[in-house]
């Protein structure tokens, strides 16, 4: 039988890569639903104040600070005939579906009870998604130890993650939330969110089962470390020792900054598209197209750039470009040199800039995730333990800040700018639109710049990683 370390050093079979990557579509559906529609739905459709919705979701995020690391650590310590990760992946599928359907179909409730519904279902959906996504992400460093192959693995994962989200976005705008006769857009149509929730639940279920079943044959090849100390105190000592890893801290800081910026952008997107750019009907359909093109571009570009200049430098450059590009149209608009909303040139120019921004933003996240996989061996050399679940739980917690911190900040920005509940496009005062634009642009650019600076501080590259992997191989391999 070939040595498992030697086997894992090569390329991952294409069928396995596709199945593993496809599982990320489940998170893509959940993430775009939360980030793009959750604040808008409960504020503009259900009538709750934006600031209160943002606060309720932020409170749910606080529980994630305990749930995600616990799932990661428990996944690392799980021992079964199906390995460490797959029991969690299979068990999470049905609870995710039920939680998602309940979240978007609240009964008639009082104001306070509706806020509790948002909070309680947000916690439940986040927890069940964590029970799948954390063990699933933790498979990535186990599938291959090769430095560049891990970037390829993450490129597939992010491609399918964005594809799932974009497909859901396009179906939402084009079918479930399509405008009815006489409407500029259909985002305020309450009934449309019923079909939206059913479609999303079905898509997540299929993605999870395909990924779990499609990678099941890899179980005999995956890492099987010895169980650690059994006491609760020992578990927390190991956890604290693991997360003090300096490379992990750099990636957490970079991810916290950028994913929060991304969360603000997604949560405000329907406000910005409606009230700043005056999108109508079919205009929304283009958003899914450009983001999908951006994901494909990142899938092709990120691994190649990283091989040439290294992951940390490439991630820093892509991140800085993403911050500049996304905010550029808003600065040009405020300066009076961007095509006016409704003009023939506005939409093509805006979409072209957003497409390049998507390539840069997604490329930076692919490389950040690939570097997180490399941190596993860096930590193992220092602690003697493999803690994939703990590291990817931390990364996943940061990703979920896109909807927690992002929706909190977005709710405050909407309230501060004075955007009324149920406001129709074209009815908001220009001063309020400008306030929304300036606040969003400053916050996004500042957070993206901070993320780029953190990536610059990542402490090792390909040579150091290869030396650690070589040291782990048995003599004579």
């Amino acid at each position: 039988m070939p040595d498992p370390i030697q086997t894992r050093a090569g390329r991952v079979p294409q069928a396995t890569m596709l199945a593993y990557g496809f599982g990320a579509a489940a998170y893509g559906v959940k993430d775009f639903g939360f980030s793009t529609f959750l604040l808008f739905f409960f504020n503009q459709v259900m009538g709750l104040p934006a600031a209160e919705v943002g606060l309720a979701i932020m409170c749910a995020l606080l529980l994630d600070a305990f749930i995600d690391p616990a799932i990661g650590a428990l996944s690392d310590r799980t021992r079964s005939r199906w390995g460490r990760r797959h029991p969690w992946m299979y068990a999470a599928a049905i609870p995710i579906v039920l939680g998602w359907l309940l979240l978007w179909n609240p009964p008639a409730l009082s104001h306070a009870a509706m806020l509790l519904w948002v909070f309680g279902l947000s916690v439940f959906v986040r927890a069940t998604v964590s029970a799948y996504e954390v063990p699933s992400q933790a498979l990535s460093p186990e599938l291959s130890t090769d430095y560049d192959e891990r970037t390829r693995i993450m490129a597939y994962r992010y491609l399918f993650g964005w594809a799932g989200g974009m497909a859901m976005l396009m179906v939402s705008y084009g079918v479930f939330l399509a405008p009815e006769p006489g409407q500029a857009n259909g985002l305020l149509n309450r009934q449309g969110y019923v079909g939206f929730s059913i479609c999303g639940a079905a898509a997540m279920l299929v993605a999870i089962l395909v990924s779990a079943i499609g990678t099941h044959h890899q179980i005999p090849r995956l890492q099987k470390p010895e169980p650690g100390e059994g006491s609760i105190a020992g578990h927390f000592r190991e956890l604290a020792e693991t997360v003090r890893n300096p490379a992990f801290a750099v990636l957490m800081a970079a991810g916290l900054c950028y994913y929060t910026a991304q969360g603000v952008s997604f949560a405000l997107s329907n406000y910005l598209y409606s009230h700043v750019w005056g999108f109508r009907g079919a205009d929304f359909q283009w958003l899914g197209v450009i983001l999908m093109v951006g994901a494909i571009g990142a899938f092709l570009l990120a691994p190649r750039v990283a091989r040439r200049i290294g992951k940390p430098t490439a991630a820093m450059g892509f991140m800085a470009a993403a911050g500049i590009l996304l905010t550029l149209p808003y600065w040009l608009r405020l300066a009076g040199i961007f095509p006016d909303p409704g003009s023939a040139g506005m939409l093509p120019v805006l979409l072209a800039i957003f497409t390049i921004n998507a390539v840069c933003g997604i490329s930076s996240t692919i490389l950040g995730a690939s570097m997180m996989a490399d941190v596993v061996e860096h930590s193992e050399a220092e602690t003697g333990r493999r803690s994939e679940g703990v590291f990817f739980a931390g990364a996943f917690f940061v990703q979920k800040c896109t909807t927690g911190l992002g929706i909190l900040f977005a709710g405050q920005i909407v309230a501060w700018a004075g955007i009324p509940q149920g406001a129709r496009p074209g009815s908001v005062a220009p001063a309020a639109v400008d306030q929304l634009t300036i606040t969003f642009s400053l916050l996004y650019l500042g957070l993206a710049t901070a993320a780029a600076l953190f990536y610059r501080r990542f402490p090792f590259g390909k040579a150091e990683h290869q030396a650690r992997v070589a040291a782990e191989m048995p003599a004579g391999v």
Side-chain angles (χ1 to χ4, degrees):
M1 179 178 294
D3 181 85
I5 294 179
Q6 186 180 24
T7 302
R8 292 187 302 110
R11 287 175 69 89
V12 176
Q14 192 66 20
T16 302
M17 187 80 84
L18 291 170
Y20 179 68
F22 187 68
Y27 182 71
V29 171
K30 172 265 169 191
D31 197 44
F32 276 92
F34 262 60
S35 300
T36 306
F37 293 108
L38 192 62
L39 174 64
F40 190 91
F41 172 70
F42 280 100
N43 170 227
Q44 298 287 297
V45 179
M46 302 306 296
L48 294 176
E52 292 182 10
V53 176
L55 181 61
I57 295 170
M58 179 60 195
C59 289
L61 178 66
L62 295 177
L63 290 181
D64 280 341
F66 301 95
I67 293 172
D68 286 358
I71 289 174
L74 289 170
S75 171
D76 285 338
R77 299 161 74 92
T78 296
R79 301 295 182 270
S80 77
R81 63 188 180 90
W82 285 356
R84 296 189 292 168
R85 316 301 178 189
H86 283 77
W88 291 84
M89 295 164 67
Y90 286 118
I94 298 302
I96 288 174
V97 168
L98 294 177
W100 188 255
L101 292 173
L102 290 171
L103 176 65
W104 297 98
N105 295 279
L109 298 169
S110 66
H111 182 103
M114 188 67 78
L115 283 173
L116 287 174
W117 184 273
V118 176
F119 169 76
L121 268 299
S122 294
V123 169
F124 183 79
V125 170
R126 286 177 182 278
T128 54
V129 169
S130 291
Y132 163 72
E133 185 69 10
V134 170
S136 178
Q137 285 195 19
L139 280 176
S140 60
E142 298 187 72
L143 290 173
S144 176
T145 60
D146 184 83
Y147 186 79
D148 293 318
E149 181 70 355
R150 284 178 171 176
T151 304
R152 180 171 169 261
I153 291 171
M154 288 304 176
Y156 271 91
R157 190 164 186 86
Y158 276 79
L159 175 66
F160 280 105
W162 279 84
M166 290 307 95
M168 191 67 209
L169 199 69
M170 295 174 68
V171 170
S172 300
Y173 285 134
V175 179
F176 302 117
L177 303 177
E180 296 176 354
Q183 289 183 315
N185 65 58
L187 297 179
L188 298 176
N189 295 340
R190 171 69 183 90
Q191 191 60 32
Y193 290 89
V194 176
F196 165 88
S197 67
I198 295 172
C199 180
M204 287 190 285
L205 180 64
V206 170
I208 290 169
L209 293 180
V210 166
S211 185
I213 294 169
T215 57
H216 195 99
H217 68 283
Q218 292 286 316
I219 292 172
R221 303 176 57 240
L222 303 179
Q223 287 279 345
K224 299 177 180 65
E226 293 298 320
E229 185 178 337
S231 70
I232 295 177
H235 164 69
F236 280 103
R237 279 197 300 270
E238 291 179 1
L239 182 61
E241 187 178 285
T242 297
V243 299
R244 284 198 298 266
N245 183 281
F248 174 71
V250 167
L251 293 178
M252 285 287 284
L256 182 64
C257 291
Y258 178 66
Y259 279 118
T260 300
Q262 187 185 75
V264 173
S265 174
F266 287 166
L268 288 178
S269 60
N270 284 323
Y271 296 90
L272 293 167
Y273 297 143
S274 297
H275 301 302
V276 176
W277 303 115
F279 276 24
R280 301 173 64 88
D283 295 343
F284 287 97
Q285 288 288 80
W286 286 106
L287 298 173
V289 174
I290 65 166
L291 288 173
M292 193 61 240
V293 171
I296 294 171
F299 171 78
L300 298 173
L301 188 63
R304 290 170 171 79
V305 175
R307 278 197 299 269
R308 182 174 293 272
I309 65 175
K311 296 180 191 179
T313 302
M316 178 188 68
F318 281 128
M319 184 63 68
I324 293 169
L325 286 165
L326 185 64
T327 59
L328 181 62
Y330 298 98
W331 299 126
L332 295 177
R333 171 190 168 274
L334 290 168
I337 54 177
F338 199 82
D340 292 330
S343 66
M346 188 276 291
L347 189 62
V349 173
L350 185 69
L351 295 181
I353 294 173
F354 283 175
T355 300
I356 302 172
N357 161 260
V359 172
C360 293
I362 299 169
S363 292
S364 69
T365 56
I366 288 172
L367 296 175
S370 182
M371 287 188 282
M372 185 65 76
D374 299 334
V375 172
V376 171
E377 284 82 15
H378 185 259
S379 173
E380 186 176 16
E382 295 183 341
T383 67
R385 293 186 303 276
R386 292 190 67 88
S387 303
E388 296 96 332
V390 170
F391 286 129
F392 280 93
F396 188 50
F397 171 68
V398 167
Q399 289 177 37
K400 290 196 294 189
C401 286
T402 62
T403 52
L405 292 175
I407 291 176
L408 174 68
F409 291 152
Q412 298 297 325
I413 291 170
V414 168
W416 187 37
I419 307 296
Q421 294 167 210
R424 302 286 175 177
S427 67
V428 179
V433 174
D434 288 346
Q435 184 67 53
L436 178 71
T437 298
I438 293 169
T439 307
F440 161 71
S441 299
L442 287 173
L443 181 60
Y444 187 94
L445 185 59
L447 288 169
T449 301
L453 294 175
F454 278 120
Y455 277 133
R456 185 181 181 183
R457 297 179 63 85
F458 191 75
F460 65 85
K462 183 175 183 177
E464 296 90 341
H465 171 78
Q466 289 178 326
R468 276 189 290 273
V469 173
E472 294 176 13
M473 288 189 177
V477 172

